Structures are given as structure tokens and as C-alpha cells.
């Protein structure tokens, strides 16, 4: 793989204009296609196989006029202070608004508050239930306009009118989170590289990659129904990993330049080595996200596949567009005008970085460091034992939004259960007396303690399927309502035995309960599938059994600790004001499983980036402890910068008003912080120090079976060394200045070979090791001159390479 990526990097560098033009053409084509796409839906949940979904399917067949899968809206009316809606003027106004709703496009029915008994005991609050013929994703702009007009007309008459339900259009999401994430990433990259060009390339390629991914997801809505959360998660994750992957390759490119290689060669080596790590890091993320599709919930499937696609685009961008951009930057990427004195010293090889000092500290005190880290994460994970999950409803909408106002108003007028009514379906098609079966069900519901109101049964045209409405006393997301649904379903067994009829509970509340149960049941199998597949990938990458197991255990520690933080903030209310949480409650059911999928992939990113460099040093002969320190020397700074960027990008989503997005942002930011800084940069080096050579052992039989993917670029290194070995004496050229360098793009060639250091300081002496590398990098240029080449090479002179090199790259094991 390393050899293939080496050739790909050089090709993209050499054909940079063509590569950039192709990407621009692809973006333009996707953008044009996305312009006419219907767009994402709000992501209504449907779970085949559950009782609630079976009841919905039956209602669609027997009550087609009810539009069981259609969107619904609640229009809530509240009289001015001291007045009642039952007064003549207010009643006339409400009836006028209801009549307007009945004439709205796509509406199948509207319940009148006064004739349907939907007025509170105080007479000050009432609501109308609006049913639509279409699903929530298909509610038209004209229908939304009628909703807005009703609110405006009611408020003009002095009433307080608010809207709830899934047919109501959400307020457009703010883009502040993305802007903050990009801004922080820019600052971190400038500090890391000390160069505006080096910092700008990862940002530019990441933005282009995210644009391509999001536009592609939008284009896909021509063919698939995708949840709106798909775009949000794809944007969030795609931006973070795209910056990280580009950061890793740019950092390696700069290192190769410092070792004396000409820009094209440096680009090939960077893509061949760091690019291999990027490919496998990206694969682990893609595997983890794609695994969400095995759960069987359409919303999660669309979120997982869209995000996996965004990660795949980030990998392809890093391997193709980024090398092309490096071709345009050339040697200018080394001009660090924003380096501090300490950074310049480190560039010259003087002193030790903070990462190296930290690695030495950990390797000197592995037992103490390991104990403190594990105990600390275990303490943070304690709240996880109190984890409660439920799907979010309008109570999680932003304060001040029309949905939240409607929810709170209904709770005040009718009790919290009115926001989560239950639909009880009596399927008496196999019963001898359907009416008796429905009457028995109605009597049973009326006697339950937690039922506030029951609507008498209504039958289908055949008279063998009945529909009964029940309103709980408790809130839709409460444990009491969940227990009530279980109790009603339990009575269904007795009803079937007595009458032969089946009883099913559905409605939004029941669907949410079934989804939460399915997610809880799927958590362990999903974890096993994702971890198992990723362990196989890591086994191929590191050719070690210990390292993949250690990586998985560290990830589990990160996840339970993150869940502990989420429970403490969103469920217990600790520091809720700091994070902008206005209401505590159960954790959103989708969050733990999404967190596992995303965080596992990101955790393996850091594992691959950090440990692959350690393995590279170990394979090249370093002792285990020395390999750990050298891995931090080369990758510690990059992994730290990548983690800070990811934490910043995810933390930016805490500014979102939506409770689900806010919790995902905090969860991902916390998980990345724990996994990068506590697990990967503390626990991992401590464990590898304690295990020593055993960290890299692999049974001989397994070593023979596993393919060697050469992530550390060992085969590539041997191939390039063989090519550089030339027994013939190198000709000495008279009149050729020492500073001449015919780089592939003519970028600052003199800087690489005249003692001018990469930091941009002309007075900085070049270390002997780098000078030797530069001499090697110049050898082929001298040979071309000796054969009669020009002293000043054209911009794309590297296209005419020796046949020996081409043969060698086709067969990396060939020796010259």
C-alpha cells in the first residue's frame, strides 16, 4: 500500500493542475445536482417488527382517512390573562382559526376544541389537533404558511397561539458552531506549523471535502429519504477528520523536506507513509459508522452512512487534492515566519518538545501513571450507573420556540400527559364479538391509575378494528408513562384470552418507547460487531494482538467516562448553566449508540497516528521504550493539535439550541478529550512500556497468514534506498552553484541546499544529517546535468523520470 500511495502522491503533485480541475468539476456537478434535490427530512422514526409499528400498519389499512403515518400538529390557544376561551368573542376567533386550518393544503382533519372536549377545566387553554395526509417530510410550504398565518391572526386578536407536533417546521439551525470550529482550527494549525500556508492547506482541503460530502448527501435525497440529522453529523465529523488527516500528511511532508528531499519526493514519501495511516484510520471510522445500519432504524442508518461517506471523501481528498495543493505550495510551505524562538530551536533539532518530555515521564513512571489515569476515568464513569434513556420530544426544543411554548402551555392546562397521548388499537378481526372486545378494552383503560382520560372506541367500516385514545397523567418521557404502556400491553394478553382480540399500543409516545428499547437491546451486539471488525483492521496494521486489544479496552473506558459526564450534566443537572442546558431529563436514546460509533472510529484514528509511528521506529531497530518516545517526538504534536481541533469543532455544537445536537456535541468533545489525552497519550505509552517487546509479538502461524499491508512503509523505504544506491562515482560538475536546485515547481530551490533552514532563518546552520539528506536529494539532478540537462529545470521536469525508477515502483521488492 505504501508504494502505491507513494506513486499516487507524486502523480498528484506532478499533475496538480489536472487534479484541482477535476475536483472543481466534481464539486460543480454535485452542486448543480443538489440544487434541485428535495432535501433531508426531519427523520421520523419507524421500527419494523415492533408492536407500535404493526399497529400503525394496521391503521393505514383500516383507517386510511386517519393517515396513521401522516404528520400531525397541535395548535394551542390561550386566552388573555383573566379571560376565558369560552367567552363569545374568543370562541368565535378560535372557531375562525380552526376553519382556516381545515382549508389548509394536505390537511385530512382538524378536531374542534369545543365539540371535542379539548378545553381545559379553567377554560383558558384549548387546542386543536391537525392531521395531515402526508408524512412530515412532505408537508408543503403552503401548509406551513397557513400555520404561520393562524398564529399571526390569533395573536392580533389578543390570543396566545403556539404550534407543536412534527408537522411544524423547525427554526433554521445556526452556523455559528461550524464557524467557531473552523476559527479555532485555524489558530491551532498556525501555532502548530508557524506558517500561514501550512495552516491554510488543511483548512482549505477540509472545507472542500465537507462541501463535497454535504452536497452529495443532499443529492442523494433524490433517491433516498434521509434524516436532517444525517447532514449535521456528516458536517460535524467530516470537518473534524478532514482537518486531522490533512494535518498528519502536511506534517510528514515538512519532515521529509527537512530531511533534504525535493518537494515531489517529499510529497510521495509523506503520502506513502502518513497516507497509509490515514487510509486505515479512515477505514476504522467508516466501519464503525456503517455499523449503525445493522440496528434496523432508518434514521440511524442514514446518519451512519452519510457520515461514513463524509469520512471517505476526507480520505480521498487527503490522498489526491492535498498532494496537488502541496505541489502549488512547494518549498514556500517551509517558510515559518510565525515561529517562536523555542519552535525554531526544535526545528533545528535542539532541545526536547513537551510531547517528548511527557513521554519520558510516562515511561519512567508507567505504573503510577497507569493507576492514576484508570482510577480517574473510573471515578468519572460512576454516574453511568444511573443512566436513563428516552427519545426527545417538544420538551427538548429551545426555550421560546413555538413548539416549546405549546408543550408548556398544554402541560399547564391539561397535565403533562396530554403531550404524549397513547393510541390503543383493538384488532378484533378474529373475535366473535368485536364490540364487546372494544368495550372491555375501554373499561380496562378507564380503571388504570396513571390514565387521565380515555376516548370511547371508534370503529372502521367493517366494524372489527377499534381505535381508543388514552391520555397518561405523566409526561411522555417519564418512567411512569413507560410503565403504563407496559401495563396496557400486559392486559392485552388477558383480553386475547377472553375475547380473541389483540390489543396494541401506538402513537408517538409508544413509538419512542419501542425505539428506546430496541436501541438498548442493540447496544451490546452493535458494540461487538464494530469492535470485532475494527480489531481485525488494527491487527493487520500493527501485526500485534496486544495493541488492538489495548486500543479497544481504552476506547470502552473513554465511552463509559463520557456517558458519566453526560448523565451528570443532562440528567443530574451538574454544571447545566455552563453548558446551556435549561431542562434535565433522560439521555436521548440515540446518543449512546451514535457516540459509540463515532468515538470508536476517532479513537482508532489517534491509535493509528501515534502507534504507527512507534511501530515504524521499532521496525527500524529502536528498543520498545525508545520507540515510544520517538513516536511522541514525531507524532505527539500532531495528535495533540488534531485532538484540540476536534474538541473545538465538537464543542462548537454546544451553541445549538436543539437538545440532541447539544448533547452530541458535548459527548463527542468529552470523548475525544478523554481518549486522546488520557487514553492514547497516557495509558497507551504506560502499557507499552510495561509490556516491552511483548507489545509487538505475533504468533508465527498468524504472522504467516496475515497479509503485510506495510503501513509503516518498510518496503517503500527499502525500495527507495535501493534506488539511491549507485556504485558509480558521481560526476563533479564545474560551474554548478551549490545553491542550484531544480525542484519540480521551481519553489525556492536554493533554500533546500544552501544551508537555509526550513524555519526561514538564514543564519541557522543545517545539521549534518540534514545536509547529507540534501546531498542525496540533489544527486539525480546532478546526474541529469552530467547527461546534458539544463541547469534550470522546467516546472514539471520531474515528469521525465528514469525507467529504472518506474520499474522499481511497479515492483517495490526489485533491487537495483
Amino acid at each position: 500500500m505504501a508504494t502505491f500511495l507513494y506513486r499516487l502522491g507524486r502523480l498528484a503533485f506532478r499533475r496538480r493542475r489536472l487534479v484541482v480541475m477535476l475536483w472543481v468539476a466534481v464539486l460543480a456537478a454535485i452542486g448543480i445536482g443538489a440544487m434541485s434535490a428535495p432535501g433531508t427530512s426531519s427523520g421520523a422514526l419507524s421500527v419494523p417488527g415492533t408492536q407500535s409499528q404493526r399497529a400503525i400498519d394496521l391503521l393505514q389499512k383500516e383507517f386510511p382517512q386517519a393517515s396513521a403515518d401522516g404528520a400531525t400538529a397541535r395548535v394551542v390557544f390561550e386566552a388573555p390573562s383573566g379571560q376565558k376561551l369560552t367567552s363569545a368573542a374568543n370562541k368565535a376567533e378560535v372557531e375562525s382559526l380552526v376553519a382556516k386550518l381545515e382549508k389548509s393544503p394536505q390537511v385530512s382533519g382538524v378536531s374542534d376544541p369545543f365539540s371535542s372536549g379539548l378545553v381545559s377545566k379553567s377554560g383558558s387553554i384549548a387546542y386543536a389537533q391537525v392531521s395531515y395526509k402526508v408524512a412530515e417530510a412532505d408537508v408543503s410550504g403552503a401548509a406551513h404558511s397557513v400555520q404561520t398565518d393562524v398564529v399571526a391572526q390569533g395573536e392580533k386578536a389578543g390570543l396566545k397561539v403556539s404550534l407543536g407536533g412534527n408537522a411544524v417546521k423547525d427554526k433554521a439551525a445556526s452556523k455559528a458552531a461550524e464557524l467557531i470550529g473552523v476559527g479555532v482550527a485555524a489558530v491551532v494549525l498556525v501555532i502548530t506549523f508557524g506558517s500561514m500556508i501550512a495552516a491554510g492547506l488543511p483548512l482549505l482541503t477540509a472545507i472542500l471535502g465537507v462541501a463535497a460530502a454535504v452536497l452529495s448527501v443532499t443529492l442523494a435525497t433524490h433517491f433516498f429519504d434521509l434524516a436532517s440529522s444525517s447532514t449535521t453529523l456528516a458536517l460535524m465529523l467530516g470537518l473534524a477528520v478532514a482537518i486531522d488527516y490533512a494535518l498528519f500528511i502536511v506534517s510528514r511532508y515538512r519532515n521529509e523536506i527537512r530531511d533534504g528531499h525535493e518537494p515531489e519526493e517529499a510529497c510521495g514519501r509523506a503520502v506513502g507513509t502518513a497516507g497509509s495511516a490515514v487510509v486505515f484510520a479512515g477505514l476504522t471510522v467508516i466501519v464503525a459508522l456503517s455499523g449503525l445500519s445493522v440496528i434496523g432504524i432508518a434514521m440511524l442508518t442514514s446518519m451512519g452512512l452519510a457520515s461514513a461517506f463524509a469520512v471517505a471523501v476526507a480520505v480521498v481528498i487527503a490522498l489526491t487534492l492535498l498532494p496537488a495543493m502541496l505541489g502549488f505550495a512547494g518549498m514556500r510551505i517551509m517558510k515559518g515566519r510565525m515561529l517562536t524562538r523555542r519552535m525554531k530551536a526544535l526545528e533545528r533539532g535542539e532541545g526536547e518538545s513537551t510531547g517528548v518530555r511527557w513521554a519520558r515521564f510516562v515511561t519512567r513512571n508507567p505504573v503510577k501513571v497507569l493507576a492514576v489515569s484508570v482510577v480517574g476515568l473510573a471515578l468519572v464513569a460512576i454516574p453511568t450507573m444511573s443512566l436513563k434513556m428516552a427519545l426527545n420530544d417538544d420538551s427538548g426544543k429551545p426555550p421560546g420556540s413555538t413548539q416549546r411554548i405549546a408543550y408548556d402551555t398544554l402541560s399547564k392546562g391539561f397535565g403533562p400527559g396530554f403531550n404524549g397521548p397513547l393510541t390503543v388499537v383493538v384488532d378484533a378481526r378474529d373475535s366473535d364479538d368485536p364490540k364487546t372486545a372494544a368495550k372491555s378494552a375501554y373499561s380496562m383503560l378507564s380503571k388504570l391509575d396513571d390514565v387521565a382520560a380515555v376516548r370511547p372506541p371508534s370503529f372502521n367500516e367493517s366494524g372489527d378494528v377499534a381505535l381508543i385514545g388514552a391520555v397518561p397523567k405523566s409526561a411522555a418521557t417519564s418512567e411512569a408513562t413507560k410503565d403504563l404502556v407496559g401495563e396496557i400491553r400486559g392486559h392485552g394478553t388477558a383480553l386475547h384470552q377472553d375475547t380473541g382480540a389483540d390489543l396494541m399500543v401506538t402513537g408517538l409516545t409508544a413509538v419512542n418507547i419501542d425505539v428506546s428499547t430496541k436501541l438498548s437491546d442493540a447496544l451490546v451486539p452493535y458494540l461487538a460487531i464494530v469492535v470485532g471488525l475494527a480489531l481485525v483492521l488494527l491487527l493487520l496494521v500493527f501485526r500485534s494482538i496486544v495493541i488492538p486489544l489495548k486500543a479497544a479496552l481504552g476506547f470502552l473506558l473513554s465511552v463509559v467516562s463520557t456517558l458519566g459526564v453526560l448523565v451528570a450534566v443532562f440528567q443530574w443537572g451538574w454544571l447545566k448553566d455552563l453548558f446551556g442546558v435549561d431542562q434535565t431529563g433522560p439521555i436521548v436514546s440515540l446518543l449512546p449508540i451514535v457516540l459509540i460509533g463515532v468515538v470508536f472510529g476517532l479513537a482508532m484514528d489517534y491509535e493509528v497516528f501515534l502507534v504507527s509511528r512507534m511501530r515504524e521506529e521499532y521496525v527500524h531497530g529502536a528498543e520498545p521504550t525508545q520507540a515510544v518516545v520517538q513516536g511522541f517526538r514525531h507524532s505527539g504534536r500532531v495528535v495533540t493539535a488534531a485532538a484540540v481541533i476536534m474538541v473545538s469543532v465538537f464543542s462548537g455544537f454546544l451553541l445549538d439550541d436543539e437538545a440532541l445536537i447539544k448533547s452530541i456535541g458535548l459527548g463527542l468533545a468529552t470523548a475525544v478529550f478523554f481518549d486522546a489525552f488520557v487514553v492514547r497519550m497516557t495509558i497507551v505509552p504506560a502499557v507499552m512500556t510495561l509490556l516491552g517487546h511483548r507489545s509487538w509479538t505475533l504468533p508465527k502461524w498468524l504472522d504467516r497468514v496475515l497479509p503485510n499491508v506495510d503501513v509503516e512503509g518498510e518496503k517503500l523505504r527499502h525500495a527507495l534506498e535501493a534506488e539511491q544506491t549507485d556504485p558509480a562515482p558521481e560526476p563533479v560538475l564545474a560551474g554548478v552553484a551549490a545553491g542550484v536546485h531544480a525542484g519540480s515547481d521551481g519553489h525556492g530551490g536554493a533554500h533546500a541546499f544552501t544551508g537555509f533552514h526550513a524555519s526561514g532563518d538564514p543564519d541557522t546552520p543545517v545539521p549534518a544529517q540534514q545536509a547529507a539528506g540534501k546531498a542525496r536529494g540533489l544527486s539525480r539532478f546532478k546526474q541529469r546535468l552530467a547527461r546534458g540537462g539544463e541547469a534550470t529545470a522546467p516546472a514539471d521536469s520531474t515528469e521525465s523520470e528514469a525507467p529504472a525508477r518506474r520499474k522499481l515502483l511497479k515492483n517495490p521488492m526489485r533491487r537495483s
Side-chain angles (χ1 to χ4, degrees):
M1 172 172 286
T3 305
F4 167 76
L5 293 177
Y6 169 83
R7 297 205 310 267
L8 178 63
R10 289 185 62 115
L11 178 64
F13 187 100
R14 204 164 49 241
R15 302 291 189 183
R16 49 192 167 275
R17 293 177 181 83
L18 176 62
V19 171
V20 171
M21 289 173 61
L22 287 175
W23 271 109
V24 170
V26 168
L27 273 173
I30 297 173
I32 293 171
M35 289 174 63
S36 60
T40 56
S41 70
S42 57
L45 289 170
S46 64
V47 188
T50 60
Q51 187 185 105
S52 56
Q53 189 62 45
R54 290 199 304 272
I56 290 174
D57 296 340
L58 178 61
L59 290 177
Q60 288 176 340
K61 179 181 178 182
E62 301 296 336
F63 293 85
Q65 72 281 2
S67 301
D69 63 340
T72 59
R74 289 185 299 276
V75 183
V76 183
F77 308 98
E78 185 175 8
S81 179
Q83 299 183 27
K84 292 187 178 182
L85 291 174
T86 51
S87 66
N90 288 334
K91 184 177 181 181
E93 183 63 31
V94 170
E95 289 177 341
S96 171
L97 296 176
V98 169
K100 189 168 187 176
L101 287 169
E102 289 175 341
K103 298 177 182 178
S104 173
Q106 302 176 318
V107 166
S108 62
V110 181
S111 59
D112 182 85
F114 303 105
S115 61
S116 303
L118 303 179
V119 181
S120 66
K121 292 179 180 179
S122 65
S124 60
I125 296 174
Y127 73 95
Q129 187 78 14
V130 185
S131 300
Y132 289 85
K133 300 175 183 177
V134 297
E136 57 183 294
D138 300 321
V139 177
S140 66
H144 288 306
S145 297
V146 172
Q147 294 173 1
T148 305
D149 293 343
V150 166
V151 173
Q153 181 179 329
E155 291 182 345
K156 187 176 180 180
L159 302 177
K160 296 180 182 178
V161 184
S162 53
L163 306 172
N166 58 10
V168 181
K169 190 175 183 180
D170 286 324
K171 182 181 176 182
S174 170
K175 299 300 180 183
E178 293 90 332
L179 295 177
I180 290 175
V182 171
V184 173
V187 173
V188 173
L189 289 170
V190 169
I191 293 174
T192 302
F193 291 127
S195 164
M196 293 299 291
I197 295 177
L201 286 182
L203 282 177
L204 177 60
T205 55
I207 291 172
L208 291 175
V210 167
V214 172
L215 288 174
S216 298
V217 171
T218 306
L219 179 63
T221 59
H222 276 298
F223 315 102
F224 308 102
D225 183 21
L226 300 179
S228 57
S229 305
S230 305
T231 304
T232 303
L233 188 60
L235 175 62
M236 182 191 303
L237 197 56
L239 183 62
V241 299
I243 293 175
D244 281 4
Y245 295 163
L247 167 64
F248 198 55
I249 291 177
V250 169
S251 177
R252 189 61 181 257
Y253 173 76
R254 283 161 58 92
N255 287 341
E256 295 294 340
I257 290 287
R258 291 190 193 101
D259 287 343
H261 300 293
E262 60 181 88
E264 183 181 331
E265 178 70 13
C267 182
R269 289 173 180 256
V271 176
T273 51
S276 298
V278 165
V279 168
F280 279 92
L283 278 176
T284 56
V285 184
I286 291 170
V287 165
L289 293 170
S290 301
L292 290 172
S293 58
V294 305
I295 296 170
I297 296 178
M299 179 180 178
L300 276 180
T301 299
S302 64
M303 289 174 67
L305 294 181
S307 302
F309 179 76
V311 173
V313 171
V315 172
V316 176
I317 286 272
L319 298 179
T320 56
L321 181 60
L322 180 59
M325 301 303 292
L326 290 174
F328 287 109
M331 292 296 297
R332 289 192 296 272
I333 201 171
M334 302 302 296
K335 295 181 180 180
R337 300 183 182 278
M338 306 180 71
L339 293 173
T340 63
R341 183 176 300 177
R342 173 174 171 75
M343 291 172 67
K344 289 180 180 180
L346 292 174
E347 295 270 331
R348 295 193 299 266
E350 301 173 3
E352 290 183 343
S353 65
T354 304
V356 171
R357 293 203 301 272
W358 172 250
R360 294 192 189 281
F361 170 77
V362 173
T363 54
R364 284 196 300 266
N365 306 278
V367 176
K368 294 178 182 178
V369 169
L370 182 62
V372 171
S373 301
V374 172
V375 170
L377 289 179
L379 290 174
V380 176
I382 289 176
T384 306
M385 294 186 289
S386 302
L387 176 66
K388 294 180 181 179
M389 294 189 295
L391 283 179
N392 57 329
D393 55 12
D394 283 352
S395 63
K397 296 295 182 181
S401 64
T402 186
Q403 295 99 322
R404 180 64 176 275
I405 293 172
Y407 184 95
D408 294 340
T409 304
L410 279 178
S411 296
K412 181 175 68 174
F414 299 92
F418 265 77
N419 285 295
L422 303 176
T423 301
V424 180
V425 180
V426 180
D427 182 4
R429 290 175 296 179
D430 296 330
S431 174
D432 296 332
D433 191 350
K435 293 190 181 299
T436 300
K439 186 177 179 179
S440 298
Y442 176 79
S443 300
M444 177 269 295
L445 291 170
S446 301
K447 296 175 183 177
L448 296 179
D449 294 335
D450 200 39
V451 173
V454 183
R455 188 177 69 241
S458 57
F459 287 88
N460 62 342
E461 291 183 1
S462 304
D464 53 8
V465 177
L467 196 62
I468 305 174
V471 177
K473 293 180 181 178
S474 307
T477 58
S478 67
E479 283 294 318
T481 301
K482 183 177 180 180
D483 294 339
L484 175 62
V485 171
E487 185 178 2
I488 295 174
R489 287 172 172 172
H491 284 293
T493 304
L495 182 69
H496 180 75
Q497 292 174 351
D498 295 340
T499 65
D502 292 324
L503 184 147
M504 296 177 285
V505 185
T506 188
L508 183 60
T509 300
V511 169
N512 287 353
I513 290 172
D514 288 344
V515 169
S516 297
T517 302
K518 187 176 182 70
L519 288 172
S520 299
D521 294 341
L523 202 58
V524 173
Y526 169 69
L527 195 59
I529 291 173
V530 170
V531 172
L533 290 175
L535 285 179
V536 172
L537 282 175
L538 293 179
L539 184 65
L540 289 174
V541 172
F542 296 120
R543 306 191 69 79
S544 164
I545 293 179
V546 172
I547 290 178
L549 290 175
K550 168 184 58 62
L553 292 175
F555 153 73
L556 293 175
L557 197 55
S558 299
V559 166
V560 294
S561 302
T562 301
L563 290 176
V565 171
L566 291 174
V567 169
V569 174
F570 287 93
Q571 196 170 304
W572 293 357
W574 293 4
L575 302 175
K576 67 176 186 176
D577 294 334
L578 177 64
F579 295 108
V581 179
D582 67 287
Q583 180 173 309
T584 59
I587 302 300
V588 179
S589 301
L590 296 173
L591 182 54
I593 206 155
V594 170
L595 190 70
I596 287 173
V598 174
V599 174
F600 184 80
L602 298 182
M604 297 307 105
D605 270 7
Y606 299 124
E607 184 78 11
V608 171
F609 288 163
L610 194 60
V611 180
S612 63
R613 197 59 193 256
M614 295 179 188
R615 173 170 170 78
E616 186 175 341
E617 296 295 329
Y618 181 79
V619 167
H620 293 168
E623 290 297 314
T625 302
Q626 183 185 1
V628 169
V629 175
Q630 290 300 319
F632 270 81
R633 184 185 302 278
H634 294 294
S635 299
R637 186 180 183 87
V638 177
V639 170
T640 299
V644 170
I645 290 171
M646 278 207 178
V647 170
S648 303
V649 170
F650 294 145
S651 296
F653 286 86
L654 284 169
L655 300 176
D656 197 286
D657 293 328
E658 195 74 33
L660 175 60
I661 302 301
K662 188 186 291 287
S663 59
I664 288 178
L666 178 61
L668 291 177
T670 304
V672 169
F673 178 82
F674 284 157
D675 198 89
F677 296 110
V678 182
V679 175
R680 306 302 154 191
M681 301 190 73
T682 304
I683 294 178
V684 166
V687 171
M688 295 183 69
T689 300
L690 292 173
L691 293 176
H693 289 284
R694 287 170 292 182
S695 297
W696 308 104
T697 55
L698 187 69
K700 292 183 179 179
W701 65 269
L702 188 57
D703 186 46
R704 290 192 298 268
V705 171
L706 290 179
N708 188 354
V709 294
D710 191 29
V711 171
E712 68 278 355
E714 181 69 5
K715 290 181 180 179
L716 174 63
R717 187 174 70 90
H718 286 314
L720 295 176
E721 286 178 352
E723 182 211 10
Q724 289 172 355
T725 303
D726 188 355
E730 198 171 87
V732 178
L733 304 177
V736 178
V740 175
H741 167 51
S744 62
D745 201 26
H747 293 300
H751 293 173
F753 303 107
T754 61
F756 188 96
H757 194 269
S759 65
D761 185 354
D763 299 324
T764 301
V766 178
Q769 181 182 1
Q770 294 186 26
K774 292 171 180 165
R776 290 195 302 270
L778 190 60
S779 61
R780 282 182 297 146
F781 175 60
K782 290 181 178 179
Q783 291 171 14
R784 287 199 299 270
L785 289 178
R787 291 192 296 267
E790 295 290 337
T792 304
D796 289 325
S797 62
T798 50
E799 292 182 23
S800 57
E801 295 181 302
R805 167 178 285 276
R806 291 196 294 269
K807 291 180 181 178
L808 179 66
L809 294 180
K810 290 179 181 178
N811 183 5
M813 301 308 296
R814 183 186 179 94
R815 295 292 181 267
S816 56

